[in-house]
Amino acid sequence: MYARRWTIAQASTDAAELARILGTSMVTAQILINRGLIDPAEARSFLAPQLRDLIEPALLPGVSTASLRIARAVREREKIVIYGDYDVDGITATAILWHSLKALEANVHYYIPHRIEEGYGLNADAVKTICDDGANLLITVDCGITAIEPVKVARERGVDVIVTDHHEWKVEDVCGSQLAVRDENETANCKLQTADLPSATHIVHPRLPGHEPVYANPSLCGAGVAFKLAWGVGQALGVGGKVPEAMKPLLVEMTALAALGTIADVVPLVGENRILARFGLGGLKQSKLNGIRALITACDLDGQKLDSYHVGFLLAPRLNAAGRMGHARLAVEMLTDASPQRAAEIATYLESQNKLRQATEREILDQAIDQAHELKMTGEDCHAIVLASSGWHPGVIGIVASRIVDRFHKPTIMIALSPEGHGHGSGRSINGFHLSKALDACKEHLKTCGGHEMAAGLGIDACNLDAFRAAFLDYAKGALTPEQLVPELRIDTIAELEQVSHALVSEFERLGPFGQGNPKPLIACRGLTLTAAPKRVGKKGEHLQLFVRQGNRFMKCIAFNAGDLFERLLPGKAIDLAVQPQLNEWNGQVNVELEVKDIVIEQ
């Protein structure tokens, strides 16, 4: 998508001094300041994070007491069952805790629900089965904070429950309305009366109400919570509150799994999350875990330096494919007790499942785009999109919703209808439109709904589809301005082509890993001149190679999906570009190339 609204961060007068102290370029110093790193010591720490900067487990709400209960279960050989979610965060969280407890010689098992047949989170039938099979301690990972009835079932059967989660729960304000809690900033805006939490033996949650001091990393994901709990259990079973020496290398190994969960769950890659992601990414390549090695091999990534792109677009989708197209327990098996041969078999199967997922996704996306046009939802007068079909796979509609948002920049709901007339919906949003609140405003037409600002799910009867669509579109019409429907491009700083060098790209690499909360640096280069006609590349000529000049500096650019601009990009034309510089290796030569994110053509 091109010609978007540009928001360029204001240049800081502190950039020159920070650059001098750190020995970096002005461009990098400005980007650090944009990320709130004005203090030189904080900036240095950001550029060179250390594992010792991780927050002590005892400061995470609930870890200390939960660790003591698990330590007792380990010593007394009680049967421990880990109940995980079916996405990458839940899969890796399960694997982290399983490996850690196994290393401590615990009697530990795991249970993963089926996405379609059982749905998200702890369910009462599964809990009954787990209790009947002799569990003494049930530990949820990446789920459970809203599982009031299932937890009650376990407690009534004499099974202790430790809930570890990072998701939202429901609270009541003074008017009695339901609010989805995301963080302490949101709860601070309303006067809370009650927090409706499960009656678990212990709850571990980075935003647990009533806990002082407030945990410094409220956006810790499920895998991160599991990592901190495993660390805490090690301390509880060690001497003098220290993790046993034999367990220390394992915890370092577990950062690789924590990185997978952290990046895949799209939590902000700042502070503690960034430390886990940074060191975990480094550990992926050297991992001794059969499952990780098999997964990397299946993705043809052996020997490569892995970054957040490889996790987000190659490794994580294959893990997710297990839960979307089949059963996620296979992915957990691969990452836990699978032999090298079995891990390779599962990785190969996940590869086939991911290809099936991609094919299914492409088919549904094409149908969804056609339906959006047919229903006249792509025009400026329509502020949201609601699509439904009986032929859609409920495991991939959330991904397709994201693709529709990327294409049309409107809040989108995708609904898969069953032959029995039930609908399973998944939605994605844009900045400034709180999806969960929007669904709550239309709940009279829904069976169930829940989620948060940017993603949510719903249940609906097919007979209520038209009424829900009308209500949702009407709500979006009143909540969104036309300006909000034009995607915004947040640019870090303006730079001259002369400043965009190999050294600058190397500095940018130190700012990673990139993701939510720590985006890849985006710079604006203004007053460029096209030195030649663009060159079409790609199978269908949908991408363009551009050749630009500023003063005496020439540079090659790649503009993906900009083929429609070919006729307008004439030699000698003046343009402004929003770009991300990168290194391109060709025939043994490494050069800086600009990946174009937006183009403004002089009229």
Side-chain angles (χ1 to χ4, degrees):
M1 188 178 294
Y2 289 86
R4 291 174 281 186
R5 288 186 294 131
W6 287 17
T7 300
I8 303 177
Q10 185 175 359
S12 172
T13 55
D14 297 322
E17 179 63 11
L18 185 61
R20 184 191 67 78
I21 294 172
L22 299 177
T24 67
S25 66
M26 283 272 291
V27 174
T28 299
Q30 179 62 55
I31 292 169
L32 288 167
I33 290 172
N34 292 349
R35 280 144 174 73
L37 299 163
I38 300 173
D39 180 77
E42 291 183 0
R44 279 200 190 93
S45 178
F46 185 87
L47 292 173
Q50 302 294 324
L51 279 175
R52 64 172 177 265
D53 294 330
L54 289 173
I55 304 169
E56 276 291 319
L59 295 175
L60 178 61
V63 160
S64 295
T65 52
S67 295
L68 291 173
R69 176 64 186 91
I70 297 172
R72 191 182 92 200
V74 171
R75 284 192 297 264
E76 298 179 5
R77 296 290 298 167
E78 291 181 298
K79 183 177 180 181
I80 303 170
V81 177
I82 302 167
Y83 190 112
D85 191 21
Y86 42 65
D87 67 0
V88 178
D89 194 21
I91 290 167
T92 53
T94 302
I96 288 169
L97 202 53
W98 185 90
H99 278 291
S100 301
L101 295 182
K102 271 291 181 183
L104 296 168
E105 300 183 353
N107 177 16
V108 60
H109 309 263
Y110 59 79
Y111 183 93
I112 307 294
H114 191 282
R115 178 189 287 264
I116 307 302
E117 296 176 6
E118 296 179 86
Y120 168 76
L122 206 59
N123 71 79
D125 288 340
V127 170
K128 290 175 185 175
T129 300
I130 290 169
C131 293
D132 290 343
D133 287 343
N136 303 110
L137 176 62
L138 177 63
I139 307 173
T140 75
V141 291
D142 194 37
C143 64
I145 198 65
T146 61
I148 294 172
E149 288 304 315
V151 168
K152 185 179 178 182
V153 168
R155 297 304 302 279
E156 287 175 346
R157 292 178 176 231
V159 175
D160 282 350
V161 181
I162 295 175
V163 168
T164 81
D165 203 350
H166 72 116
H167 290 102
E168 303 158 18
W169 60 90
K170 298 290 185 180
V171 299
E172 293 183 359
D173 66 10
V174 289
C175 300
S177 61
Q178 294 293 307
L179 299 172
V181 177
R182 295 197 64 199
D183 53 44
E184 68 281 359
N185 294 325
E186 192 165 322
T187 60
N189 293 328
C190 61
K191 183 179 179 182
L192 303 180
Q193 295 283 315
T194 63
D196 202 6
L197 298 172
S199 57
T201 313
H202 305 288
I203 297 178
V204 181
H205 195 295
R207 302 184 302 280
L208 196 64
H211 187 275
E212 295 294 339
V214 173
Y215 190 61
N217 180 21
S219 58
L220 196 64
C221 72
V225 172
F227 176 83
K228 302 305 280 291
L229 179 60
W231 185 357
V233 174
Q235 290 177 327
L237 287 168
V239 178
K242 295 188 179 296
V243 172
E245 287 297 321
M247 191 182 180
K248 289 180 180 178
L250 176 70
L251 285 175
V252 174
E253 179 86 29
M254 291 301 99
T255 63
L257 290 170
L260 283 173
T262 297
I263 295 169
D265 217 49
V266 202
V267 294
L269 294 184
V270 296
E272 184 174 51
N273 290 343
R274 181 167 177 270
I275 295 172
L276 285 172
R278 178 81 165 254
F279 280 91
L281 283 171
L284 280 171
K285 184 178 177 180
Q286 290 85 29
S287 179
K288 297 176 183 177
L289 298 182
N290 295 332
I292 287 181
R293 294 170 70 170
L295 186 63
I296 289 173
T297 298
C299 295
D300 293 325
L301 294 175
D302 284 316
Q304 293 192 37
K305 180 181 178 181
L306 303 178
D307 59 24
S308 52
Y309 167 82
H310 297 107
V311 170
F313 292 92
L314 297 175
L315 301 176
R318 283 155 177 80
L319 291 174
N320 258 332
R324 292 188 184 281
M325 308 305 294
H327 204 306
R329 66 178 172 227
L330 277 175
V332 175
E333 180 188 348
M334 182 182 70
L335 293 177
T336 52
D337 55 354
S339 66
Q341 180 180 351
R342 176 60 176 159
E345 290 173 357
I346 295 174
T348 301
Y349 174 74
L350 293 183
E351 179 69 18
S352 68
Q353 289 293 93
N354 191 53
K355 288 179 179 177
L356 175 61
R357 188 270 307 169
Q358 290 172 327
T360 305
E361 179 188 325
R362 284 192 296 268
E363 182 181 355
I364 294 176
L365 178 61
D366 289 341
Q367 295 172 5
I369 291 172
D370 289 343
Q371 189 179 129
H373 285 299
E374 290 170 6
L375 294 174
K376 303 187 186 307
M377 292 186 177
T378 59
E380 295 181 359
D381 58 331
C382 188
H383 289 195
I385 295 174
V386 179
L387 308 171
S389 174
S390 59
W392 290 346
H393 193 300
V396 301
I397 55 174
I399 307 174
V400 177
S402 294
R403 302 284 185 265
I404 297 292
V405 171
D406 290 342
R407 188 179 184 98
F408 299 110
H409 198 68
K410 297 180 181 182
T412 298
I413 303 291
M414 295 280 296
I415 301 173
L417 299 172
S418 72
E420 296 77 24
H422 304 300
H424 170 84
S426 187
R428 299 294 184 269
S429 194
I430 63 174
N431 288 332
F433 186 84
H434 199 297
L435 191 56
S436 180
K437 291 179 180 178
L439 292 179
D440 191 58
C442 307
K443 64 184 178 183
E444 63 182 292
H445 310 294
L446 301 173
K447 293 169 63 180
T448 60
C449 64
H452 52 79
E453 185 173 356
M454 300 303 290
L458 61 88
I460 187 172
D461 288 326
C463 59
N464 293 325
L465 174 60
D466 290 339
F468 166 69
R469 179 184 281 132
F472 189 81
L473 296 185
D474 186 60
Y475 181 91
K477 187 86 170 179
L480 288 167
T481 66
E483 185 182 51
Q484 288 176 288
L485 297 176
V486 179
E488 180 185 26
L489 206 58
R490 293 181 176 271
I491 296 173
D492 284 291
T493 188
I494 299 172
E496 303 291 316
L497 282 190
E498 193 63 39
Q499 296 174 281
V500 184
S501 62
H502 194 300
L504 182 67
V505 177
S506 297
E507 287 183 0
F508 281 4
E509 289 179 353
R510 297 177 64 194
L511 300 174
F514 302 115
Q516 183 73 21
N518 186 39
K520 198 170 183 180
L522 184 64
I523 61 178
C525 296
R526 289 178 157 172
L528 308 182
T529 302
L530 286 164
T531 61
K535 179 181 178 182
R536 287 189 180 273
V537 294
K539 292 181 179 179
K540 301 178 181 178
E542 66 272 32
H543 314 309
L544 297 180
Q545 268 189 358
L546 307 179
F547 306 90
V548 298
R549 173 180 61 83
Q550 187 180 56
N552 295 323
R553 176 76 161 163
F554 294 81
M555 198 163 285
K556 184 170 71 174
C557 315
I558 180 69
F560 293 108
N561 299 308
D564 292 345
L565 298 178
F566 180 84
E567 301 295 338
R568 297 177 58 198
L569 294 169
L570 304 174
K573 197 77 172 174
I575 61 173
D576 296 339
L577 296 179
V579 299
Q580 290 173 335
Q582 59 189 17
L583 298 181
N584 183 43
E585 185 173 351
W586 180 255
N587 287 337
Q589 299 247 338
V590 179
N591 296 300
V592 179
E593 184 175 278
L594 302 179
E595 182 178 336
V596 178
K597 295 299 179 181
D598 201 12
I599 304 173
V600 176
I601 305 172
E602 185 183 79
Q603 299 299 320

